[in-house]
Amino acid sequence: MRLTPKELLFLFAIGAAGGLVGDAGNVQSGVTRYLDDSVPFIWESALWFPLLVGLATAATGELRLRLAPPRPGFDLRQGLGAIAAVVGIYALTSIVGDDGTESVALLAALAVLTACVLADGRAAIICGLAAAIGGPLAEIAIVELEWSEYSASNDRLLGVALWLIPLYFAFGVAVARIAEVLVARRQPSRS
Amino acid sequence: MRLTPKELLFLFAIGAAGGLVGDAGNVQSGVTRYLDDSVPFIWESALWFPLLVGLATAATGELRLRLAPPRPGFDLRQGLGAIAAVVGIYALTSIVGDDGTESVALLAALAVLTACVLADGRAAIICGLAAAIGGPLAEIAIVELEWSEYSASNDRLLGVALWLIPLYFAFGVAVARIAEVLVARRQPSRS
Amino acid sequence: MRLTPKELLFLFAIGAAGGLVGDAGNVQSGVTRYLDDSVPFIWESALWFPLLVGLATAATGELRLRLAPPRPGFDLRQGLGAIAAVVGIYALTSIVGDDGTESVALLAALAVLTACVLADGRAAIICGLAAAIGGPLAEIAIVELEWSEYSASNDRLLGVALWLIPLYFAFGVAVARIAEVLVARRQPSRS
């Protein structure tokens, strides 16, 4: 492991917390609905949801560090900004109302802007692409298992929302940046 | 006073103007409603509203300069960007439709991003927190006085909108930056 | 010509492609409607629409280079970010729902932020203003010719949407930046 247990736990925690906030928005606005009420719930989410998002966050951070050395220089603003960008984009998926052309275009534009600001190059983009492929596939599996479903106006990607692709891409790129900031924090630069 | 009368007047003017634009959006979209029609109105706002926002803007700028020395270097882009950020976030409060989880999460994310770009540290954050506490308290008092009211889908914070907290936080941080730019403008850097 | 044929073709192509995406959003969300079905269509757009946007993009890029020397230093992020900013703002015009005060204020704020990040000064601003005047005038002419129309809630500017002004301003400023990046790409800086 390139990340310490403490750093992995931190990534798990912010991933789980961010997942809970975003999912509460999706559930309350009717974008998604849990079909299996037999599992324990936290806020609006089935317990397994924040766990999965937390694990994906820790795994993506670890992936980033195995791909290339992180940039030096601790910058709290970049870390906080990365978290805020993903929380904001996730919240926006509950507001746009559907996964039509304009919604997907807006969210894709925001995902690209997130990468333009945060990505260091190939390594961050790979993290973004891995999340953009793996995330929607996992959600399609969850829908196939009938654990949850997307609303009829948000199911253009094999039953899940098409905007999951830009949402997860932004997630992957942002987590890559957070992992860099965590490593830089071990020895803060004196600049 | 750390700001000159002219600078205070400028802050008052842009605060009042920005307040009029944002409030017109809130009133026209039905987010807020004035209950007392006996006072004079400007555009959609009771006269006292832009006056209060203008005073709060000047006071927040003065507070910023008493907390810490401003950063040197005149940067018109930072000043214009700070104004645009708050006008945009204020306008968005009329568009999101309610103060539910997704709306508050989106506006909180934008407020954090605003701080990540504009804040110099402790001094700007204190301005943001002062506004985030004082602003909603003032609005709660106004609603209690029955001068105006928030719609039923925008009243989760003791009768006012929960998103007032991130809106005012962004306002405080942005005004702190504008105050810095105003001081730097006295002697533009030659860089 | 300050731009090579290949660069002009590239600007034409991204302009036409961006126009198709944005227009598909406008048509699908009911913001605009084509009245003349006798012409060929691509996706949701009459053939002449992406052609006009492509030509305007190439012309704006050429205008930028005739106004002032471009900044050196190739920065792919600035070019991609400029494209994403305009695609995102264009998509947002389909989501805000009307051209009321709050919608125009939000889009104007985003146009100003785009300029604060991308513009190099006078030359980019002139490109933005030229587009902000020429674009809406062309659209008013198209509506007068009864080739297309704007919905009743998006026609406050002589029959077209008032938010066309900030949309085209952002377009002009972004294309100016893309033209700079294209020239800088001829001889990438080694920084």
Side-chain angles (χ1 to χ4, degrees):
Chain A
M1 289 291 154
R2 304 291 168 86
L3 287 163
T4 66
K6 214 170 155 182
E7 289 164 349
L8 287 167
L9 192 66
F10 175 79
L11 285 175
F12 176 86
I14 57 165
L20 283 173
V21 173
D23 199 39
N26 277 182
V27 170
Q28 289 170 5
S29 64
V31 169
T32 55
R33 197 162 69 90
Y34 285 98
L35 300 177
D36 178 359
D37 291 344
S38 67
V39 292
F41 272 67
I42 304 181
W43 197 0
E44 303 282 0
S45 305
L47 182 59
W48 48 263
F49 183 78
L51 297 182
L52 284 180
V53 179
L55 286 173
T57 307
T60 303
E62 180 67 22
L63 170 64
R64 168 63 188 79
L65 296 183
R66 291 185 182 209
L67 288 170
R71 284 169 284 183
F74 175 65
D75 188 342
L76 181 60
R77 285 177 176 86
Q78 291 268 318
L80 279 178
I83 296 171
V86 178
V87 170
I89 292 173
Y90 201 162
L92 196 53
T93 66
S94 299
I95 293 171
V96 291
D98 59 38
D99 64 348
T101 304
E102 67 280 7
S103 305
V104 175
L106 174 60
L107 290 160
L110 292 173
V112 170
L113 287 172
T114 302
C116 288
V117 174
L118 298 178
D120 63 334
R122 191 182 301 267
I125 301 301
I126 291 175
C127 291
L129 293 176
I133 295 168
L137 282 179
E139 300 234 12
I140 289 167
I142 287 166
V143 166
E144 288 296 316
L145 289 168
E146 300 195 339
W147 293 0
S148 75
E149 67 176 9
Y150 278 78
S151 76
S153 53
N154 285 283
D155 66 353
R156 281 172 64 194
L157 180 66
L158 302 175
V160 306
L162 188 51
W163 42 249
L164 283 179
I165 295 173
L167 171 60
Y168 274 101
F169 179 79
F171 164 84
V173 168
V175 174
R177 187 70 186 108
I178 298 167
E180 288 187 294
V181 174
L182 283 177
V183 170
R185 187 176 165 277
R186 293 175 191 164
Q187 215 160 359
S189 78
R190 261 152 290 149
S191 74
Chain B
M1 289 292 155
R2 305 289 168 87
L3 287 163
T4 66
K6 214 170 154 181
E7 289 163 350
L8 287 166
L9 193 65
F10 175 79
L11 285 175
F12 176 86
I14 56 165
L20 283 174
V21 172
D23 199 39
N26 277 182
V27 170
Q28 289 171 6
S29 63
V31 169
T32 54
R33 196 163 69 90
Y34 284 99
L35 300 177
D36 178 0
D37 291 345
S38 66
V39 293
F41 272 67
I42 305 180
W43 197 358
E44 302 282 0
S45 304
L47 182 60
W48 49 262
F49 183 78
L51 297 183
L52 284 181
V53 179
L55 286 174
T57 307
T60 303
E62 181 67 22
L63 170 64
R64 167 63 188 79
L65 296 182
R66 291 186 183 208
L67 288 170
R71 283 169 283 183
F74 175 65
D75 188 343
L76 182 60
R77 286 178 175 86
Q78 291 269 318
L80 279 178
I83 296 171
V86 178
V87 170
I89 292 173
Y90 202 162
L92 196 54
T93 65
S94 298
I95 293 170
V96 291
D98 59 37
D99 65 346
T101 304
E102 67 279 9
S103 305
V104 175
L106 174 59
L107 290 159
L110 292 173
V112 169
L113 288 172
T114 302
C116 287
V117 174
L118 298 177
D120 62 334
R122 192 182 301 265
I125 300 302
I126 290 174
C127 290
L129 292 177
I133 294 168
L137 282 179
E139 301 235 13
I140 289 168
I142 288 166
V143 166
E144 288 295 318
L145 289 167
E146 300 196 340
W147 292 0
S148 74
E149 66 176 10
Y150 279 78
S151 77
S153 53
N154 285 283
D155 67 351
R156 280 172 63 194
L157 181 65
L158 301 173
V160 305
L162 189 51
W163 42 249
L164 284 179
I165 295 173
L167 171 59
Y168 275 100
F169 179 80
F171 164 84
V173 168
V175 173
R177 187 72 187 106
I178 298 166
E180 287 186 294
V181 174
L182 283 176
V183 170
R185 187 177 164 276
R186 292 175 192 166
Q187 214 162 357
S189 77
R190 263 151 290 150
S191 75
Chain C
M1 288 292 153
R2 306 289 169 86
L3 287 163
T4 66
K6 211 170 155 183
E7 288 163 351
L8 287 167
L9 192 67
F10 175 79
L11 284 175
F12 176 85
I14 56 164
L20 284 173
V21 173
D23 198 40
N26 277 182
V27 170
Q28 288 171 6
S29 63
V31 169
T32 55
R33 196 163 69 90
Y34 285 97
L35 300 177
D36 178 0
D37 291 344
S38 67
V39 293
F41 273 67
I42 305 180
W43 196 0
E44 303 281 359
S45 304
L47 182 60
W48 48 263
F49 183 79
L51 297 182
L52 284 180
V53 179
L55 286 173
T57 307
T60 303
E62 181 66 22
L63 170 65
R64 169 62 188 81
L65 296 182
R66 291 184 183 210
L67 289 169
R71 285 169 283 183
F74 175 65
D75 188 344
L76 181 62
R77 286 178 175 87
Q78 291 268 318
L80 279 178
I83 296 171
V86 179
V87 170
I89 292 173
Y90 202 162
L92 197 53
T93 66
S94 298
I95 292 171
V96 291
D98 60 37
D99 64 348
T101 304
E102 67 279 9
S103 305
V104 176
L106 175 59
L107 290 160
L110 292 173
V112 170
L113 288 171
T114 302
C116 287
V117 174
L118 298 177
D120 62 335
R122 192 181 302 266
I125 300 302
I126 290 175
C127 290
L129 292 176
I133 294 169
L137 282 179
E139 301 234 12
I140 289 167
I142 287 166
V143 166
E144 288 297 316
L145 289 167
E146 300 196 339
W147 293 359
S148 75
E149 67 176 10
Y150 278 79
S151 77
S153 53
N154 284 284
D155 67 353
R156 281 172 64 193
L157 180 66
L158 302 173
V160 305
L162 188 50
W163 43 249
L164 283 179
I165 295 174
L167 171 60
Y168 274 101
F169 179 80
F171 164 84
V173 168
V175 174
R177 187 70 186 109
I178 298 167
E180 288 187 293
V181 174
L182 284 176
V183 171
R185 189 177 164 276
R186 293 174 192 167
Q187 213 161 359
S189 77
R190 263 151 288 148
S191 74

